[in-house]
Amino acid sequence: MKHAYLALSLATILNTPLVAFAAEKTQAKDSIEHIEVAGQVIKSQGLSVKNETIDGPFGDNLALQDIARSVTPISSELIEQLNITTLQDVLAVSPNTYSASGFGAPSLPTIRGQLGELFQDGTRRQAGNNGFGVPLSFNSVEQIDVVKGAPPVLFGSSQRNGGFVNLQSKVASTDESKGKASLSAGRWDQYSAQIDYTAPIIKDKVGFRVSYEHLDHGSYYDYSGTKSDSLFAALSILPDDKSTWDINFELYQVEFTDNAGINRPTQALIDDGLYITGQGVQANGSTVPAAGSIVSPTGQVNIDRSTVLTDPDNQNEATTYLIHSIYKRELSANASLKNITYFQHLQREEIAQNSFVEIIDGADTAQNRTELTYSWNDEQQTIFAFDVRYNKVLGYSQFTTEADLPIDLTGPLSNRRIPLTDAQKARLVELRPGVFVSPGAQYDIDNDGSGDFNLSDTTDSRSWQTGFAIQQDSDWTDKLHTSVGYRVDYYDVEARDPIAPQGQTAASDSINDTLQSGQVSFNYKLNADFTGYGAASYNEATSNSMAGGNVLGGGNVISAQNFATENTLVEFGLKYAPIDSDWYADGAVFSQRRSLRNRDGSNTGIRTTGFESQVFYDAYPYWLSAGYSYIDARYDNSASSQDSAQVADAFDNSRPDIIAGTGVGAPSFTPFAPSNSQVQGIPEQSFSFNGNYSITSKWQTGFSGLYTKSYPLDFLQTVKIRDQYTLNVNTSYAFTPSTKLRLDVNNITNQKNWRPVFEGGYFGATLAFPELPINAKLTLTHKF
């Protein structure tokens, strides 16, 4: 394992104040004075978004109603209440965040119909290749801020622009010692343990925090599971009364399963669980899954939903460590400085029996951003930011010989294994004995005018991103506030083939480009309770491969198209945040135009318009929330593609009583002409609701639910996922003020729900992911 380190900064301590109101009146009767005190207290439980502050994206310590974007801050209390353990779970509370399964291990959020970015403490983390990557541990997380739309100018040019999640790390305490331990056990032998402790080293000067989490999760799905360890440590330093310095470190190691769900998603499978049997056959008679194979249906059976495309001999593991640092200093009454530093190292290895290979032999990312905030007067403030980001990736990939539709999942494991033929091996390069990957460039060895190799994402790349941003915040009146920002980023990128075929000179290329982004917004206080806002942004972004690396494209050059992803946003909204009430609500209408990176490296334009709204009520003994989203996502006169045009292409027509097969063969990569068709894999409407009631001071009960409207699974809309819902319940009992036992029962009505497997719909005609049946988890927590 290659080691590297870099000292960095981070952290923020957030307060959720309780607001109290009291009225006192006195009255006299005869000669004796009686005093009666009446009080009204807003008993917040920390489960509303109203009182949370947002740090980073648009400035620091901003109230939710003062941000001209649709935002959902999820506090640690809300994370616990909603049982949030993956990025998919944020849909329970944040509208328009419906996501595909991410092959069972989502590493990126999905916001407004497209993959979003993942930030931590204001810096962009390494994440998956189009959402498929390393699972995320919440062991280090104190708060999750979900923001719709492209990252703002302070965060800079990135890759994904549907929206972003900014994880706020835990911070150490300098004034008190406290800890928390938790143990949980769930269905299918899912066990986890966490211990979190913080204490001052020097009272009011230096504090530390340590949090450790271990997961040992069995699975409902065949040959699946997750084992992980996360060690998080934080240090808070208060050098003087004008500065703070927070540093944290996380080491995360995980073994997990690449779960592709169930193949052959016909309407009968989605509606009734009926699976078409029969192994695909190549033109040469081989039953090894390969492109162009054709299935002669042998029958139709009810398939167990736990029978998915996994293999007990697959290898899939990753190790990463991260360092964050944030240093803040008040320079004068008018000026303050913030320096953010981040470093991450990642190694990952997956070698699957279906011939898929992704090996990240070392990915290092370092970033440093310095922000200077200057207040010219009480009404005008300017933020200047200078940002440098370095990314180096050495990785090997091979996905060109995968073939899912020909596989009969009801047969033996040999049905789903793809041993490479000599002809296939000749178009790849042997990385180590028995492991073949694509080279990082194309070569014409036989001089026939065409390349002789299969290409995927193999690369040895290095990039420097240097950015300068300026943001002007202005209070024109007591009611009107505006913000204007601009940023320019300069990219210097190199890529080379790390494993050229024998006898060939490794190809390489470099490119320089300048990307720009801008934003403008306003807030207008209609009265003490209501704030209206509008926002517009333009963003030029990049298109990258695994771990944020860059690959050589056609002609063995880095495509300039990778630096020509233009994204726009227009959004108007209204926020209701009364001071003397337990309610919060907001709503927004939006129009976004952005690009989606396809599996083959090309970009597809998508335009979305829609509406989203969220409502919260938080006053002991009740807590309620609800969210609604409507989205119309369409290709913006843009081309698209799928693994196969439709599921019927995998079958011949020998059993028309089962399926009217076309006999085309599958997989058969299919490009679709530019259109304004609906984007597959995204529900037009969704509705979520959550609640909690304290029966007594010790006993609580709660519920949550999600409804999604019917939507097409594939581009041609031959198969649809019908209207579906999920209901969850929970209850907890506090034996003492420090010890609590909680029971969660998920999908209590045992619905047989489905999700897409992959973002962007590429596998829409090939795969569908069966969601979990009813399951329960018991969690014991103790604070000390």
Side-chain angles (χ1 to χ4, degrees):
M1 174 177 177
K2 178 183 177 181
H3 292 279
Y5 68 90
L6 187 40
L8 318 182
S9 85
L10 180 181
T12 64
I13 300 175
L14 302 176
N15 272 327
T16 306
L18 297 180
V19 184
F21 300 85
E24 177 185 293
K25 76 175 181 179
T26 64
Q27 63 180 20
K29 183 176 182 182
D30 299 326
S31 60
I32 302 176
E33 182 181 39
H34 296 269
I35 299 175
E36 180 183 340
V37 178
Q40 178 190 7
V41 178
I42 297 181
K43 301 177 180 178
S44 170
Q45 303 168 87
L47 299 178
S48 175
V49 300
K50 182 172 69 171
N51 295 322
E52 302 302 326
T53 57
I54 313 297
D55 277 350
F58 309 96
D60 286 345
N61 299 314
L62 296 178
L64 184 59
Q65 60 268 30
D66 295 331
I67 298 175
R69 282 285 192 91
S70 177
V71 183
T72 306
I74 307 173
S75 66
S76 58
E77 294 85 359
L78 200 50
I79 292 172
E80 180 180 346
Q81 173 62 37
L82 295 174
N83 193 28
I84 293 175
T85 58
T86 74
L87 284 173
Q88 287 182 331
D89 297 333
V90 299
L91 179 60
V93 69
S94 182
N96 260 327
T97 55
Y98 184 81
S99 64
S101 74
F103 288 95
S107 64
L108 289 168
T110 299
I111 301 174
R112 289 180 177 171
Q114 192 200 345
L115 282 173
E117 288 290 8
L118 180 64
F119 291 82
Q120 186 161 3
D121 300 321
T123 54
R124 179 160 49 105
R125 284 182 52 141
Q126 291 173 352
N129 183 4
N130 278 18
F132 174 58
V134 179
L136 177 67
S137 168
F138 286 100
N139 180 47
S140 66
V141 176
E142 186 75 22
Q143 179 170 311
I144 304 170
D145 297 330
V146 184
V147 185
K148 315 299 172 57
V153 296
L154 292 180
F155 280 10
S157 174
S158 59
Q159 178 180 356
R160 306 167 185 93
N161 293 276
F164 62 95
V165 167
N166 185 35
L167 306 175
Q168 296 193 26
S169 297
K170 295 174 178 176
V171 295
S173 173
T174 60
D175 60 1
E176 65 174 333
S177 300
K178 58 183 178 180
K180 179 180 178 181
S182 65
L183 297 170
S184 71
R187 192 179 179 187
W188 309 302
D189 296 323
Q190 297 195 348
Y191 305 104
S192 65
Q194 183 187 59
I195 185 166
D196 185 351
Y197 181 73
T198 182
I201 299 174
I202 302 174
K203 182 74 171 178
D204 297 326
K205 287 291 185 181
V206 181
F208 78 96
R209 185 167 185 171
V210 176
S211 183
Y212 172 73
E213 179 187 62
H214 174 73
L215 268 62
D216 187 351
H217 283 185
S219 179
Y220 163 72
Y221 306 106
D222 292 346
Y223 315 119
S224 296
T226 301
K227 291 184 179 181
S228 69
D229 292 278
S230 169
L231 175 64
F232 173 81
L235 190 68
S236 289
I237 304 171
L238 306 178
D240 51 46
D241 61 354
K242 295 183 181 296
S243 57
T244 63
W245 190 16
D246 290 287
I247 308 167
N248 64 57
F249 169 84
E250 182 183 10
L251 173 64
Y252 179 60
Q253 191 279 332
V254 62
E255 299 176 15
F256 62 104
T257 303
D258 173 358
N259 186 343
I262 298 177
N263 62 343
R264 305 180 181 177
T266 62
Q267 197 64 57
L269 176 69
I270 301 300
D271 293 346
D272 304 311
L274 295 175
Y275 184 84
I276 301 175
T277 59
Q279 184 76 355
V281 179
Q282 299 182 42
N284 62 6
S286 171
T287 57
V288 173
S293 296
I294 298 177
V295 180
S296 296
T298 57
Q300 196 171 30
V301 299
N302 277 294
I303 190 170
D304 192 315
R305 290 166 60 87
S306 65
T307 304
V308 291
L309 279 167
T310 53
D311 193 296
D313 291 339
N314 287 352
Q315 304 174 43
N316 197 11
E317 60 184 6
T319 300
T320 186
Y321 60 85
L322 306 89
I323 305 170
H324 283 92
S325 166
I326 291 183
Y327 176 76
K328 296 180 180 180
R329 182 167 182 83
E330 182 183 333
L331 301 176
S332 69
N334 295 331
S336 62
L337 179 75
K338 179 166 71 170
N339 181 269
I340 306 172
T341 313
Y342 151 79
F343 177 81
Q344 182 174 3
H345 175 80
L346 170 68
Q347 287 186 292
R348 175 169 186 251
E349 178 162 300
E350 177 177 6
I351 302 174
Q353 297 302 305
N354 68 345
S355 75
F356 177 84
V357 175
E358 182 168 292
I359 298 172
I360 299 175
D361 206 17
D364 295 304
T365 304
Q367 182 173 354
N368 182 275
R369 182 168 71 248
T370 299
E371 299 177 11
L372 175 65
T373 302
Y374 189 82
S375 297
W376 306 92
N377 51 48
D378 291 342
E379 292 79 31
Q380 301 293 331
Q381 174 183 280
T382 307
I383 303 175
F384 303 92
F386 179 72
D387 209 339
V388 178
R389 181 179 175 91
Y390 173 78
N391 191 63
K392 186 179 189 305
V393 178
L394 174 60
Y396 307 93
S397 177
Q398 148 57 7
F399 51 68
T400 61
T401 55
E402 288 181 82
D404 295 326
L405 276 173
I407 295 169
D408 183 351
L409 273 178
T410 64
L413 281 174
S414 58
N415 277 8
R416 56 185 86 173
R417 294 179 171 174
I418 304 178
L420 299 177
T421 65
D422 290 340
Q424 289 171 324
K425 292 177 182 178
R427 296 188 61 83
L428 302 169
V429 179
E430 192 169 20
L431 176 65
R432 53 180 185 253
V435 178
F436 289 83
V437 297
S438 298
Q442 187 59 268
Y443 304 92
D444 181 11
I445 294 179
D446 57 11
N447 296 314
D448 66 351
S450 60
D452 297 319
F453 294 88
N454 297 346
L455 299 185
S456 50
D457 280 339
T458 296
T459 188
D460 182 359
S461 68
R462 185 269 304 162
S463 68
W464 284 95
Q465 175 186 349
T466 305
F468 175 77
I470 183 171
Q471 179 176 305
Q472 178 66 35
D473 298 319
S474 305
D475 290 318
W476 300 104
T477 69
D478 291 341
K479 294 179 177 291
L480 179 62
H481 172 85
T482 63
S483 180
V484 179
Y486 171 77
R487 175 160 175 150
V488 59
D489 283 280
Y490 177 76
Y491 281 84
D492 180 9
V493 180
E494 296 177 354
R496 62 181 295 274
D497 181 1
I499 188 167
Q502 186 174 4
Q504 300 297 309
T505 301
S508 63
D509 189 35
S510 62
I511 191 172
N512 300 316
D513 209 340
T514 301
L515 278 65
Q516 302 181 70
S517 59
Q519 65 190 41
V520 59
S521 66
F522 73 87
N523 296 71
Y524 187 80
K525 290 186 177 298
L526 302 173
N527 53 43
D529 296 340
F530 288 93
T531 301
Y533 73 87
S537 74
Y538 171 81
N539 175 282
E540 295 177 342
T542 62
S543 181
N544 307 109
S545 62
M546 58 180 173
N550 293 271
V551 297
L552 296 174
N556 290 345
V557 300
I558 302 171
S559 173
Q561 182 71 17
N562 291 349
F563 302 87
T565 304
E566 297 182 342
N567 308 275
T568 60
L569 163 70
V570 176
E571 180 179 319
F572 294 96
L574 182 66
K575 298 185 179 184
Y576 173 66
I579 296 175
D580 57 350
S581 172
D582 308 304
W583 289 92
Y584 172 83
D586 65 32
V589 293
F590 62 88
S591 175
Q592 290 186 201
R593 199 275 181 193
R594 53 195 189 276
S595 292
L596 174 74
R597 182 180 185 268
N598 298 317
R599 193 168 185 264
D600 63 358
S602 63
N603 290 323
T604 293
I606 294 176
R607 182 175 295 278
T608 61
T609 57
F611 168 78
E612 61 204 18
S613 179
Q614 57 187 355
V615 179
F616 287 83
Y617 176 80
D618 180 19
Y620 183 86
Y622 299 102
W623 170 73
L624 297 168
S625 80
Y628 170 78
S629 61
Y630 166 80
I631 186 169
D632 181 22
R634 297 187 174 275
Y635 292 103
D636 190 18
N637 193 29
S638 187
S640 182
S641 61
Q642 277 184 175
D643 184 51
S644 293
Q646 57 183 326
V647 67
D649 290 348
F651 304 96
D652 61 26
N653 200 29
S654 60
R655 290 292 304 273
D657 56 315
I658 296 177
I659 188 170
T662 66
V664 170
S668 53
F669 174 80
T670 305
F672 297 107
S675 72
N676 298 108
S677 298
Q678 179 182 356
V679 178
Q680 64 271 39
I682 303 170
E684 257 191 346
Q685 298 184 64
S686 64
F687 175 67
S688 63
F689 54 91
N690 308 278
N692 184 76
Y693 174 67
S694 296
I695 300 171
T696 69
S697 61
K698 295 183 177 182
W699 184 18
Q700 296 181 332
T701 185
F703 61 88
S704 65
L706 172 65
Y707 162 81
T708 54
K709 191 167 180 57
S710 174
Y711 59 94
L713 190 59
D714 61 320
F715 181 87
L716 296 176
Q717 302 191 19
T718 62
V719 176
K720 290 189 176 183
I721 293 180
R722 308 295 191 187
D723 292 19
Q724 57 187 25
Y725 68 90
T726 305
L727 296 176
N728 311 314
V729 296
N730 64 81
T731 186
S732 64
Y733 186 82
F735 298 98
T736 71
S738 301
T739 305
K740 181 172 68 175
L741 185 66
R742 170 170 166 147
L743 173 67
D744 287 275
V745 182
N746 303 312
N747 192 12
I748 193 168
T749 58
N750 204 28
Q751 299 299 298
K752 293 179 171 57
N753 294 333
W754 299 86
R755 278 184 190 245
V757 166
F758 193 68
E759 302 291 346
Y762 183 82
F763 292 107
T766 306
L767 304 167
F769 193 84
E771 295 191 14
L772 292 174
I774 183 172
N775 61 94
K777 181 174 72 171
L778 195 64
T779 303
L780 177 68
T781 59
H782 177 70
K783 296 180 180 179
F784 55 92

